[in-house]
Amino acid sequence: GDSVTQMEGPVTLSEEAFLTINCTYTATGYPSLFWYVQYPGEGLQLLLKATKADDKGSNKGFEATYRKETTSFHLEKGSVQVSDSAVYFCALSNSGYALNFGKGTSLLVTP
Amino acid sequence: DGGITQSPKYLFRKEGQNVTLSCEQNLNHDAMYWYRQDPGQGLRLIYYSQIVNDFQKGDIAEGYSVSREKKESFPLTVTSAQKNPTAFYLCASSPYTGGTDTQYFGPGTRLTVL
């Protein structure tokens, strides 16, 4: 079945450092891929999405490119801020009715 | 403002009791979902509904029940049959056009069994 694997955290970075959170997937067909962010005690917010190969999703300085040849959707940001501290979830949708989530990667950015 | 509301934010239950978590959306979305989140885990699908008066079991439906009598509402009941109900519960909705739609999440309800 479909699945998502993302790097385990926690990831600790200093402010203004470069961020990469790896995400790979297994799926048949042509899934849509998502990154969601969860701040402490809150629900999930959509960060970005890509619906076909080579699409790049971007939002708030975060980017991720849908790479079908490597089945990956890595999240990147050039310069993180303390306010980016959160848990990040990679997810895929391949059926129109449910999202398959990775286990989440906790990011802590220190001043 | 359009969005998804969940209530209560915190809920405490004694063993053997049923409790109902509320989820309401005013986004005019057709599809609604319930997920369970445990520490260090991803989200797992409990139930989903694509249309009023119809719903399907997800991966971990045992011990839970739902209803979908109105488009805007999708309450989840955690029954006494659920062996380990302490978790964070998230409701979501999506337009459901038959494709791979974005899901939008509510703020969640944290359930603790005493």
mmCIF file of all heavy atoms in Angstrom, chain A residues 30-32 34 36 38 41-46 49 51 89 93-104, chain B residues 9 33 35 37 40-43 45 48 50 88 90 94 96 98-108 110:
data_model
loop_
_atom_site.group_PDB
_atom_site.id
_atom_site.type_symbol
_atom_site.label_atom_id
_atom_site.label_comp_id
_atom_site.label_asym_id
_atom_site.label_seq_id
_atom_site.Cartn_x
_atom_site.Cartn_y
_atom_site.Cartn_z
ATOM 1 N N TYR A 30 -0.240 8.383 -9.567
ATOM 2 C CA TYR A 30 0.290 9.743 -9.503
ATOM 3 C C TYR A 30 -0.326 10.486 -8.328
ATOM 4 O O TYR A 30 -1.275 11.250 -8.483
ATOM 5 C CB TYR A 30 -0.022 10.461 -10.829
ATOM 6 C CG TYR A 30 0.551 9.724 -12.017
ATOM 7 C CD1 TYR A 30 -0.214 8.805 -12.724
ATOM 8 C CD2 TYR A 30 1.868 9.932 -12.401
ATOM 9 C CE1 TYR A 30 0.319 8.111 -13.794
ATOM 10 C CE2 TYR A 30 2.415 9.244 -13.472
ATOM 11 C CZ TYR A 30 1.634 8.330 -14.167
ATOM 12 O OH TYR A 30 2.169 7.654 -15.231
ATOM 13 N N PRO A 31 0.222 10.255 -7.145
ATOM 14 C CA PRO A 31 -0.355 10.894 -5.958
ATOM 15 C C PRO A 31 -0.095 12.387 -5.923
ATOM 16 O O PRO A 31 0.810 12.886 -6.591
ATOM 17 C CB PRO A 31 0.370 10.198 -4.803
ATOM 18 C CG PRO A 31 1.698 9.818 -5.378
ATOM 19 C CD PRO A 31 1.405 9.455 -6.820
ATOM 20 N N SER A 32 -0.865 13.090 -5.147
ATOM 21 C CA SER A 32 -0.539 14.455 -4.751
ATOM 22 C C SER A 32 0.252 14.395 -3.449
ATOM 23 O O SER A 32 0.041 13.504 -2.625
ATOM 24 C CB SER A 32 -1.810 15.284 -4.528
ATOM 25 O OG SER A 32 -2.443 15.544 -5.759
ATOM 26 N N PHE A 34 1.973 16.583 -0.036
ATOM 27 C CA PHE A 34 1.690 17.722 0.823
ATOM 28 C C PHE A 34 2.727 17.817 1.945
ATOM 29 O O PHE A 34 3.276 16.802 2.392
ATOM 30 C CB PHE A 34 0.317 17.572 1.505
ATOM 31 C CG PHE A 34 -0.831 17.350 0.567
ATOM 32 C CD1 PHE A 34 -1.120 16.092 0.071
ATOM 33 C CD2 PHE A 34 -1.638 18.415 0.189
ATOM 34 C CE1 PHE A 34 -2.191 15.882 -0.789
ATOM 35 C CE2 PHE A 34 -2.713 18.215 -0.666
ATOM 36 C CZ PHE A 34 -2.984 16.953 -1.152
ATOM 37 N N TYR A 36 2.430 19.524 5.756
ATOM 38 C CA TYR A 36 1.632 20.211 6.760
ATOM 39 C C TYR A 36 2.529 20.578 7.941
ATOM 40 O O TYR A 36 3.523 19.891 8.231
ATOM 41 C CB TYR A 36 0.504 19.315 7.280
ATOM 42 C CG TYR A 36 -0.677 19.166 6.353
ATOM 43 C CD1 TYR A 36 -0.688 18.220 5.339
ATOM 44 C CD2 TYR A 36 -1.809 19.978 6.506
ATOM 45 C CE1 TYR A 36 -1.798 18.078 4.506
ATOM 46 C CE2 TYR A 36 -2.909 19.846 5.688
ATOM 47 C CZ TYR A 36 -2.895 18.890 4.690
ATOM 48 O OH TYR A 36 -3.986 18.760 3.869
ATOM 49 N N GLN A 38 2.432 21.641 12.179
ATOM 50 C CA GLN A 38 1.626 21.633 13.400
ATOM 51 C C GLN A 38 2.390 22.352 14.509
ATOM 52 O O GLN A 38 3.463 21.916 14.921
ATOM 53 C CB GLN A 38 1.309 20.205 13.836
ATOM 54 C CG GLN A 38 0.394 20.121 15.042
ATOM 55 C CD GLN A 38 0.063 18.689 15.417
ATOM 56 O OE1 GLN A 38 0.877 17.782 15.289
ATOM 57 N NE2 GLN A 38 -1.159 18.470 15.880
ATOM 58 N N GLY A 41 -0.002 22.091 20.374
ATOM 59 C CA GLY A 41 -1.384 22.131 20.827
ATOM 60 C C GLY A 41 -2.393 22.520 19.779
ATOM 61 O O GLY A 41 -3.564 22.755 20.103
ATOM 62 N N GLU A 42 -1.986 22.583 18.522
ATOM 63 C CA GLU A 42 -2.890 23.027 17.470
ATOM 64 C C GLU A 42 -3.121 21.942 16.417
ATOM 65 O O GLU A 42 -2.472 20.903 16.425
ATOM 66 C CB GLU A 42 -2.335 24.278 16.789
ATOM 67 C CG GLU A 42 -2.189 25.455 17.728
ATOM 68 C CD GLU A 42 -1.737 26.700 16.997
ATOM 69 O OE1 GLU A 42 -1.650 26.688 15.746
ATOM 70 O OE2 GLU A 42 -1.459 27.708 17.684
ATOM 71 N N GLY A 43 -4.052 22.203 15.523
ATOM 72 C CA GLY A 43 -4.276 21.319 14.398
ATOM 73 C C GLY A 43 -3.210 21.511 13.334
ATOM 74 O O GLY A 43 -2.253 22.259 13.516
ATOM 75 N N LEU A 44 -3.407 20.814 12.216
ATOM 76 C CA LEU A 44 -2.439 20.892 11.123
ATOM 77 C C LEU A 44 -2.823 22.010 10.161
ATOM 78 O O LEU A 44 -4.006 22.204 9.852
ATOM 79 C CB LEU A 44 -2.386 19.574 10.351
ATOM 80 C CG LEU A 44 -1.451 18.497 10.888
ATOM 81 C CD1 LEU A 44 -1.912 18.005 12.235
ATOM 82 C CD2 LEU A 44 -1.353 17.349 9.901
ATOM 83 N N GLN A 45 -1.802 22.707 9.669
ATOM 84 C CA GLN A 45 -2.013 23.725 8.649
ATOM 85 C C GLN A 45 -1.289 23.292 7.384
ATOM 86 O O GLN A 45 -0.150 22.842 7.450
ATOM 87 C CB GLN A 45 -1.451 25.070 9.103
ATOM 88 C CG GLN A 45 -2.045 25.618 10.389
ATOM 89 C CD GLN A 45 -1.338 26.890 10.818
ATOM 90 O OE1 GLN A 45 -0.732 27.599 10.020
ATOM 91 N NE2 GLN A 45 -1.418 27.184 12.114
ATOM 92 N N LEU A 46 -1.947 23.456 6.254
ATOM 93 C CA LEU A 46 -1.292 23.153 4.987
ATOM 94 C C LEU A 46 -0.159 24.145 4.760
ATOM 95 O O LEU A 46 -0.366 25.363 4.816
ATOM 96 C CB LEU A 46 -2.284 23.244 3.836
ATOM 97 C CG LEU A 46 -1.694 23.018 2.453
ATOM 98 C CD1 LEU A 46 -1.227 21.576 2.300
ATOM 99 C CD2 LEU A 46 -2.720 23.375 1.371
ATOM 100 N N LYS A 49 1.856 22.223 -1.363
ATOM 101 C CA LYS A 49 1.443 20.997 -2.028
ATOM 102 C C LYS A 49 1.977 20.969 -3.450
ATOM 103 O O LYS A 49 2.348 22.009 -4.011
ATOM 104 C CB LYS A 49 -0.075 20.876 -2.051
ATOM 105 C CG LYS A 49 -0.760 21.962 -2.864
ATOM 106 C CD LYS A 49 -2.284 21.859 -2.788
ATOM 107 C CE LYS A 49 -2.846 20.833 -3.709
ATOM 108 N NZ LYS A 49 -4.336 20.901 -3.811
ATOM 109 N N THR A 51 1.007 18.587 -7.138
ATOM 110 C CA THR A 51 0.069 17.591 -7.648
ATOM 111 C C THR A 51 0.601 16.758 -8.786
ATOM 112 O O THR A 51 -0.019 15.762 -9.176
ATOM 113 C CB THR A 51 -1.242 18.260 -8.096
ATOM 114 O OG1 THR A 51 -0.927 19.218 -9.111
ATOM 115 C CG2 THR A 51 -1.931 18.949 -6.940
ATOM 116 N N PHE A 89 4.820 17.526 8.829
ATOM 117 C CA PHE A 89 4.328 16.236 8.343
ATOM 118 C C PHE A 89 4.310 16.237 6.822
ATOM 119 O O PHE A 89 3.744 17.126 6.194
ATOM 120 C CB PHE A 89 2.905 15.965 8.830
ATOM 121 C CG PHE A 89 2.791 15.687 10.308
ATOM 122 C CD1 PHE A 89 2.540 16.721 11.190
ATOM 123 C CD2 PHE A 89 2.944 14.400 10.794
ATOM 124 C CE1 PHE A 89 2.433 16.473 12.551
ATOM 125 C CE2 PHE A 89 2.837 14.145 12.152
ATOM 126 C CZ PHE A 89 2.588 15.186 13.035
ATOM 127 N N SER A 93 -1.772 11.867 -1.057
ATOM 128 C CA SER A 93 -3.154 11.508 -1.332
ATOM 129 C C SER A 93 -3.200 10.842 -2.689
ATOM 130 O O SER A 93 -2.754 11.406 -3.675
ATOM 131 C CB SER A 93 -4.042 12.753 -1.320
ATOM 132 O OG SER A 93 -5.368 12.402 -1.653
ATOM 133 N N ASN A 94 -3.764 9.640 -2.705
ATOM 134 C CA ASN A 94 -3.742 8.881 -3.960
ATOM 135 C C ASN A 94 -5.102 8.333 -4.322
ATOM 136 O O ASN A 94 -5.256 7.629 -5.275
ATOM 137 C CB ASN A 94 -2.748 7.730 -3.827
ATOM 138 C CG ASN A 94 -2.281 7.217 -5.175
ATOM 139 O OD1 ASN A 94 -2.440 7.887 -6.195
ATOM 140 N ND2 ASN A 94 -1.723 6.030 -5.195
ATOM 141 N N SER A 95 -6.097 8.630 -3.487
ATOM 142 C CA SER A 95 -7.388 7.993 -3.704
ATOM 143 C C SER A 95 -8.532 8.978 -3.605
ATOM 144 O O SER A 95 -9.652 8.618 -3.883
ATOM 145 C CB SER A 95 -7.588 6.904 -2.668
ATOM 146 O OG SER A 95 -7.547 7.481 -1.376
ATOM 147 N N GLY A 96 -8.260 10.168 -3.166
ATOM 148 C CA GLY A 96 -9.310 11.160 -3.029
ATOM 149 C C GLY A 96 -10.065 11.095 -1.734
ATOM 150 O O GLY A 96 -10.958 11.885 -1.520
ATOM 151 N N TYR A 97 -9.745 10.142 -0.867
ATOM 152 C CA TYR A 97 -10.511 10.093 0.366
ATOM 153 C C TYR A 97 -9.670 10.091 1.620
ATOM 154 O O TYR A 97 -10.212 10.219 2.700
ATOM 155 C CB TYR A 97 -11.440 8.879 0.399
ATOM 156 C CG TYR A 97 -10.759 7.539 0.524
ATOM 157 C CD1 TYR A 97 -10.388 7.028 1.764
ATOM 158 C CD2 TYR A 97 -10.501 6.769 -0.595
ATOM 159 C CE1 TYR A 97 -9.766 5.804 1.893
ATOM 160 C CE2 TYR A 97 -9.876 5.532 -0.473
ATOM 161 C CZ TYR A 97 -9.519 5.053 0.764
ATOM 162 O OH TYR A 97 -8.921 3.838 0.873
ATOM 163 N N ALA A 98 -8.389 9.920 1.549
ATOM 164 C CA ALA A 98 -7.599 9.900 2.778
ATOM 165 C C ALA A 98 -6.183 10.352 2.489
ATOM 166 O O ALA A 98 -5.695 10.241 1.367
ATOM 167 C CB ALA A 98 -7.594 8.509 3.389
ATOM 168 N N LEU A 99 -5.557 10.885 3.514
ATOM 169 C CA LEU A 99 -4.153 11.233 3.444
ATOM 170 C C LEU A 99 -3.333 10.173 4.172
ATOM 171 O O LEU A 99 -3.705 9.726 5.256
ATOM 172 C CB LEU A 99 -3.906 12.586 4.115
ATOM 173 C CG LEU A 99 -4.407 13.830 3.375
ATOM 174 C CD1 LEU A 99 -4.301 15.056 4.266
ATOM 175 C CD2 LEU A 99 -3.625 14.043 2.097
ATOM 176 N N ASN A 100 -2.198 9.781 3.583
ATOM 177 C CA ASN A 100 -1.219 8.955 4.265
ATOM 178 C C ASN A 100 -0.128 9.877 4.793
ATOM 179 O O ASN A 100 0.508 10.591 4.011
ATOM 180 C CB ASN A 100 -0.595 7.951 3.301
ATOM 181 C CG ASN A 100 -1.421 6.702 3.173
ATOM 182 O OD1 ASN A 100 -1.501 5.906 4.096
ATOM 183 N ND2 ASN A 100 -2.040 6.523 2.039
ATOM 184 N N PHE A 101 0.084 9.831 6.105
ATOM 185 C CA PHE A 101 1.040 10.733 6.738
ATOM 186 C C PHE A 101 2.328 10.022 7.123
ATOM 187 O O PHE A 101 2.320 8.849 7.509
ATOM 188 C CB PHE A 101 0.449 11.315 8.025
ATOM 189 C CG PHE A 101 -0.585 12.382 7.803
ATOM 190 C CD1 PHE A 101 -1.919 12.053 7.669
ATOM 191 C CD2 PHE A 101 -0.213 13.714 7.751
ATOM 192 C CE1 PHE A 101 -2.865 13.031 7.469
ATOM 193 C CE2 PHE A 101 -1.154 14.699 7.551
ATOM 194 C CZ PHE A 101 -2.482 14.363 7.412
ATOM 195 N N GLY A 102 3.437 10.754 7.045
ATOM 196 C CA GLY A 102 4.641 10.329 7.728
ATOM 197 C C GLY A 102 4.473 10.548 9.220
ATOM 198 O O GLY A 102 3.462 11.095 9.673
ATOM 199 N N LYS A 103 5.474 10.161 9.994
ATOM 200 C CA LYS A 103 5.357 10.254 11.445
ATOM 201 C C LYS A 103 5.654 11.645 11.990
ATOM 202 O O LYS A 103 5.505 11.889 13.190
ATOM 203 C CB LYS A 103 6.267 9.223 12.114
ATOM 204 C CG LYS A 103 5.815 7.797 11.866
ATOM 205 C CD LYS A 103 6.624 6.804 12.679
ATOM 206 C CE LYS A 103 6.067 5.406 12.488
ATOM 207 N NZ LYS A 103 6.799 4.394 13.291
ATOM 208 N N GLY A 104 6.080 12.527 11.142
ATOM 209 C CA GLY A 104 6.350 13.887 11.576
ATOM 210 C C GLY A 104 7.802 14.089 11.983
ATOM 211 O O GLY A 104 8.453 13.174 12.489
ATOM 212 N N LYS B 9 -12.015 21.615 23.468
ATOM 213 C CA LYS B 9 -10.581 21.558 23.199
ATOM 214 C C LYS B 9 -9.921 20.472 24.052
ATOM 215 O O LYS B 9 -9.020 19.777 23.603
ATOM 216 C CB LYS B 9 -9.931 22.913 23.504
ATOM 217 C CG LYS B 9 -8.456 23.000 23.104
ATOM 218 C CD LYS B 9 -7.955 24.416 23.233
ATOM 219 C CE LYS B 9 -6.465 24.511 22.876
ATOM 220 N NZ LYS B 9 -6.237 24.168 21.449
ATOM 221 N N TYR B 33 -13.461 14.040 7.706
ATOM 222 C CA TYR B 33 -12.585 12.972 8.169
ATOM 223 C C TYR B 33 -12.308 13.123 9.662
ATOM 224 O O TYR B 33 -12.284 14.244 10.183
ATOM 225 C CB TYR B 33 -11.231 13.036 7.450
ATOM 226 C CG TYR B 33 -11.306 13.223 5.958
ATOM 227 C CD1 TYR B 33 -11.517 14.477 5.387
ATOM 228 C CD2 TYR B 33 -11.161 12.134 5.100
ATOM 229 C CE1 TYR B 33 -11.593 14.648 4.019
ATOM 230 C CE2 TYR B 33 -11.224 12.297 3.727
ATOM 231 C CZ TYR B 33 -11.434 13.552 3.193
ATOM 232 O OH TYR B 33 -11.508 13.711 1.836
ATOM 233 N N TYR B 35 -9.216 11.860 12.330
ATOM 234 C CA TYR B 35 -7.914 11.254 12.514
ATOM 235 C C TYR B 35 -7.583 11.211 14.000
ATOM 236 O O TYR B 35 -8.017 12.069 14.778
ATOM 237 C CB TYR B 35 -6.819 12.075 11.818
ATOM 238 C CG TYR B 35 -6.867 12.087 10.318
ATOM 239 C CD1 TYR B 35 -7.596 13.058 9.627
ATOM 240 C CD2 TYR B 35 -6.162 11.149 9.583
ATOM 241 C CE1 TYR B 35 -7.631 13.077 8.250
ATOM 242 C CE2 TYR B 35 -6.183 11.173 8.191
ATOM 243 C CZ TYR B 35 -6.910 12.129 7.547
ATOM 244 O OH TYR B 35 -6.927 12.149 6.171
ATOM 245 N N GLN B 37 -4.194 11.166 16.574
ATOM 246 C CA GLN B 37 -2.765 11.416 16.637
ATOM 247 C C GLN B 37 -2.242 11.014 18.005
ATOM 248 O O GLN B 37 -2.746 11.476 19.032
ATOM 249 C CB GLN B 37 -2.451 12.899 16.376
ATOM 250 C CG GLN B 37 -0.963 13.195 16.328
ATOM 251 C CD GLN B 37 -0.648 14.659 16.067
ATOM 252 O OE1 GLN B 37 -1.473 15.542 16.300
ATOM 253 N NE2 GLN B 37 0.522 14.939 15.571
ATOM 254 N N GLY B 40 4.527 11.200 18.751
ATOM 255 C CA GLY B 40 5.564 10.616 17.904
ATOM 256 C C GLY B 40 5.049 9.812 16.737
ATOM 257 O O GLY B 40 5.832 9.154 16.045
ATOM 258 N N GLN B 41 3.755 9.886 16.513
ATOM 259 C CA GLN B 41 3.157 9.134 15.414
ATOM 260 C C GLN B 41 2.550 10.083 14.402
ATOM 261 O O GLN B 41 2.228 11.219 14.704
ATOM 262 C CB GLN B 41 2.064 8.202 15.947
ATOM 263 C CG GLN B 41 2.554 7.198 16.956
ATOM 264 C CD GLN B 41 3.522 6.218 16.344
ATOM 265 O OE1 GLN B 41 3.286 5.693 15.261
ATOM 266 N NE2 GLN B 41 4.625 5.967 17.020
ATOM 267 N N GLY B 42 2.366 9.574 13.233
ATOM 268 C CA GLY B 42 1.602 10.325 12.249
ATOM 269 C C GLY B 42 0.130 10.231 12.568
ATOM 270 O O GLY B 42 -0.271 9.709 13.617
ATOM 271 N N LEU B 43 -0.680 10.741 11.692
ATOM 272 C CA LEU B 43 -2.126 10.699 11.889
ATOM 273 C C LEU B 43 -2.690 9.417 11.297
ATOM 274 O O LEU B 43 -2.291 9.011 10.196
ATOM 275 C CB LEU B 43 -2.794 11.899 11.224
ATOM 276 C CG LEU B 43 -2.762 13.207 12.000
ATOM 277 C CD1 LEU B 43 -1.355 13.753 12.145
ATOM 278 C CD2 LEU B 43 -3.678 14.217 11.343
ATOM 279 N N LEU B 45 -6.301 7.369 10.208
ATOM 280 C CA LEU B 45 -7.674 7.649 9.828
ATOM 281 C C LEU B 45 -8.638 6.764 10.589
ATOM 282 O O LEU B 45 -8.494 5.530 10.582
ATOM 283 C CB LEU B 45 -7.836 7.446 8.324
ATOM 284 C CG LEU B 45 -9.201 7.741 7.731
ATOM 285 C CD1 LEU B 45 -9.506 9.240 7.823
ATOM 286 C CD2 LEU B 45 -9.256 7.273 6.285
ATOM 287 N N TYR B 48 -14.287 8.314 7.620
ATOM 288 C CA TYR B 48 -14.462 9.423 6.709
ATOM 289 C C TYR B 48 -15.832 9.362 6.073
ATOM 290 O O TYR B 48 -16.477 8.310 6.038
ATOM 291 C CB TYR B 48 -13.358 9.446 5.638
ATOM 292 C CG TYR B 48 -13.381 8.304 4.671
ATOM 293 C CD1 TYR B 48 -13.952 8.424 3.410
ATOM 294 C CD2 TYR B 48 -12.777 7.083 5.008
ATOM 295 C CE1 TYR B 48 -13.954 7.362 2.528
ATOM 296 C CE2 TYR B 48 -12.778 6.022 4.124
ATOM 297 C CZ TYR B 48 -13.357 6.163 2.886
ATOM 298 O OH TYR B 48 -13.362 5.115 2.008
ATOM 299 N N GLN B 50 -17.976 10.989 2.610
ATOM 300 C CA GLN B 50 -17.902 11.753 1.356
ATOM 301 C C GLN B 50 -19.204 12.477 1.052
ATOM 302 O O GLN B 50 -19.236 13.359 0.182
ATOM 303 C CB GLN B 50 -17.535 10.828 0.201
ATOM 304 C CG GLN B 50 -16.149 10.207 0.359
ATOM 305 C CD GLN B 50 -15.886 9.111 -0.644
ATOM 306 O OE1 GLN B 50 -16.796 8.549 -1.226
ATOM 307 N NE2 GLN B 50 -14.628 8.782 -0.843
ATOM 308 N N PHE B 88 -4.976 12.741 20.759
ATOM 309 C CA PHE B 88 -5.385 14.016 20.172
ATOM 310 C C PHE B 88 -6.186 13.688 18.920
ATOM 311 O O PHE B 88 -5.712 12.941 18.052
ATOM 312 C CB PHE B 88 -4.127 14.825 19.845
ATOM 313 C CG PHE B 88 -4.370 16.257 19.476
ATOM 314 C CD1 PHE B 88 -5.173 17.067 20.249
ATOM 315 C CD2 PHE B 88 -3.752 16.813 18.371
ATOM 316 C CE1 PHE B 88 -5.379 18.401 19.919
ATOM 317 C CE2 PHE B 88 -3.943 18.148 18.037
ATOM 318 C CZ PHE B 88 -4.763 18.934 18.804
ATOM 319 N N LEU B 90 -8.269 14.855 15.539
ATOM 320 C CA LEU B 90 -8.326 15.929 14.552
ATOM 321 C C LEU B 90 -9.399 15.634 13.525
ATOM 322 O O LEU B 90 -9.473 14.536 12.974
ATOM 323 C CB LEU B 90 -6.982 16.072 13.853
ATOM 324 C CG LEU B 90 -5.885 16.668 14.729
ATOM 325 C CD1 LEU B 90 -4.520 16.287 14.215
ATOM 326 C CD2 LEU B 90 -6.022 18.177 14.775
ATOM 327 N N SER B 94 -12.642 18.354 3.128
ATOM 328 C CA SER B 94 -12.112 18.667 1.804
ATOM 329 C C SER B 94 -13.260 18.785 0.830
ATOM 330 O O SER B 94 -14.342 18.241 1.051
ATOM 331 C CB SER B 94 -11.123 17.591 1.337
ATOM 332 O OG SER B 94 -11.787 16.364 1.085
ATOM 333 N N TYR B 96 -13.753 17.401 -2.004
ATOM 334 C CA TYR B 96 -14.018 16.119 -2.649
ATOM 335 C C TYR B 96 -14.574 16.273 -4.061
ATOM 336 O O TYR B 96 -15.775 16.288 -4.312
ATOM 337 C CB TYR B 96 -14.961 15.215 -1.853
ATOM 338 C CG TYR B 96 -14.996 13.834 -2.490
ATOM 339 C CD1 TYR B 96 -13.857 13.039 -2.502
ATOM 340 C CD2 TYR B 96 -16.128 13.364 -3.125
ATOM 341 C CE1 TYR B 96 -13.851 11.818 -3.130
ATOM 342 C CE2 TYR B 96 -16.138 12.126 -3.755
ATOM 343 C CZ TYR B 96 -14.997 11.357 -3.760
ATOM 344 O OH TYR B 96 -14.992 10.140 -4.381
ATOM 345 N N GLY B 98 -13.374 14.100 -6.211
ATOM 346 C CA GLY B 98 -13.026 12.792 -6.738
ATOM 347 C C GLY B 98 -11.548 12.657 -7.010
ATOM 348 O O GLY B 98 -11.077 11.584 -7.359
ATOM 349 N N GLY B 99 -10.823 13.720 -6.818
ATOM 350 C CA GLY B 99 -9.385 13.675 -7.029
ATOM 351 C C GLY B 99 -8.633 13.734 -5.724
ATOM 352 O O GLY B 99 -9.150 13.344 -4.689
ATOM 353 N N THR B 100 -7.445 14.245 -5.750
ATOM 354 C CA THR B 100 -6.603 14.266 -4.560
ATOM 355 C C THR B 100 -6.645 15.653 -3.941
ATOM 356 O O THR B 100 -5.733 16.456 -4.112
ATOM 357 C CB THR B 100 -5.164 13.881 -4.940
ATOM 358 O OG1 THR B 100 -4.767 14.681 -6.050
ATOM 359 C CG2 THR B 100 -5.079 12.414 -5.318
ATOM 360 N N ASP B 101 -7.726 15.911 -3.228
ATOM 361 C CA ASP B 101 -7.964 17.251 -2.714
ATOM 362 C C ASP B 101 -7.207 17.544 -1.442
ATOM 363 O O ASP B 101 -6.925 16.654 -0.635
ATOM 364 C CB ASP B 101 -9.455 17.431 -2.429
ATOM 365 C CG ASP B 101 -10.292 17.276 -3.678
ATOM 366 O OD1 ASP B 101 -10.064 18.059 -4.623
ATOM 367 O OD2 ASP B 101 -11.150 16.391 -3.696
ATOM 368 N N THR B 102 -6.934 18.807 -1.248
ATOM 369 C CA THR B 102 -6.343 19.265 0.003
ATOM 370 C C THR B 102 -7.339 19.104 1.138
ATOM 371 O O THR B 102 -8.525 19.408 0.974
ATOM 372 C CB THR B 102 -5.941 20.739 -0.118
ATOM 373 O OG1 THR B 102 -4.980 20.870 -1.158
ATOM 374 C CG2 THR B 102 -5.350 21.252 1.184
ATOM 375 N N GLN B 103 -6.865 18.635 2.274
ATOM 376 C CA GLN B 103 -7.703 18.552 3.466
ATOM 377 C C GLN B 103 -7.340 19.693 4.414
ATOM 378 O O GLN B 103 -6.173 20.039 4.568
ATOM 379 C CB GLN B 103 -7.517 17.213 4.169
ATOM 380 C CG GLN B 103 -8.069 16.052 3.353
ATOM 381 C CD GLN B 103 -8.000 14.734 4.076
ATOM 382 O OE1 GLN B 103 -7.819 14.682 5.295
ATOM 383 N NE2 GLN B 103 -8.136 13.653 3.327
ATOM 384 N N TYR B 104 -8.372 20.255 5.032
ATOM 385 C CA TYR B 104 -8.210 21.365 5.957
ATOM 386 C C TYR B 104 -8.605 20.881 7.342
ATOM 387 O O TYR B 104 -9.651 20.241 7.501
ATOM 388 C CB TYR B 104 -9.076 22.548 5.513
ATOM 389 C CG TYR B 104 -8.673 23.051 4.153
ATOM 390 C CD1 TYR B 104 -9.235 22.510 2.995
ATOM 391 C CD2 TYR B 104 -7.714 24.044 4.017
ATOM 392 C CE1 TYR B 104 -8.842 22.939 1.744
ATOM 393 C CE2 TYR B 104 -7.322 24.485 2.768
ATOM 394 C CZ TYR B 104 -7.881 23.925 1.636
ATOM 395 O OH TYR B 104 -7.486 24.359 0.395
ATOM 396 N N PHE B 105 -7.788 21.220 8.329
ATOM 397 C CA PHE B 105 -7.935 20.649 9.658
ATOM 398 C C PHE B 105 -8.486 21.638 10.673
ATOM 399 O O PHE B 105 -8.231 22.838 10.598
ATOM 400 C CB PHE B 105 -6.582 20.134 10.155
ATOM 401 C CG PHE B 105 -6.162 18.867 9.496
ATOM 402 C CD1 PHE B 105 -5.584 18.875 8.231
ATOM 403 C CD2 PHE B 105 -6.362 17.643 10.125
ATOM 404 C CE1 PHE B 105 -5.207 17.693 7.610
ATOM 405 C CE2 PHE B 105 -5.992 16.455 9.513
ATOM 406 C CZ PHE B 105 -5.414 16.482 8.259
ATOM 407 N N GLY B 106 -9.223 21.088 11.638
ATOM 408 C CA GLY B 106 -9.640 21.853 12.796
ATOM 409 C C GLY B 106 -8.537 21.895 13.842
ATOM 410 O O GLY B 106 -7.469 21.307 13.646
ATOM 411 N N PRO B 107 -8.795 22.581 14.971
ATOM 412 C CA PRO B 107 -7.763 22.761 15.991
ATOM 413 C C PRO B 107 -7.540 21.542 16.882
ATOM 414 O O PRO B 107 -6.576 21.516 17.643
ATOM 415 C CB PRO B 107 -8.297 23.932 16.808
ATOM 416 C CG PRO B 107 -9.771 23.851 16.641
ATOM 417 C CD PRO B 107 -9.999 23.355 15.258
ATOM 418 N N GLY B 108 -8.435 20.555 16.821
ATOM 419 C CA GLY B 108 -8.219 19.335 17.585
ATOM 420 C C GLY B 108 -8.893 19.305 18.943
ATOM 421 O O GLY B 108 -9.205 20.353 19.534
ATOM 422 N N ARG B 110 -8.240 17.226 22.640
ATOM 423 C CA ARG B 110 -7.368 16.306 23.385
ATOM 424 C C ARG B 110 -8.216 15.563 24.400
ATOM 425 O O ARG B 110 -8.778 16.165 25.322
ATOM 426 C CB ARG B 110 -6.246 17.057 24.087
ATOM 427 C CG ARG B 110 -5.231 16.119 24.749
ATOM 428 C CD ARG B 110 -3.951 16.827 25.141
ATOM 429 N NE ARG B 110 -3.248 17.404 24.007
ATOM 430 C CZ ARG B 110 -2.486 16.724 23.163
ATOM 431 N NH1 ARG B 110 -2.333 15.424 23.313
ATOM 432 N NH2 ARG B 110 -1.853 17.339 22.175
#
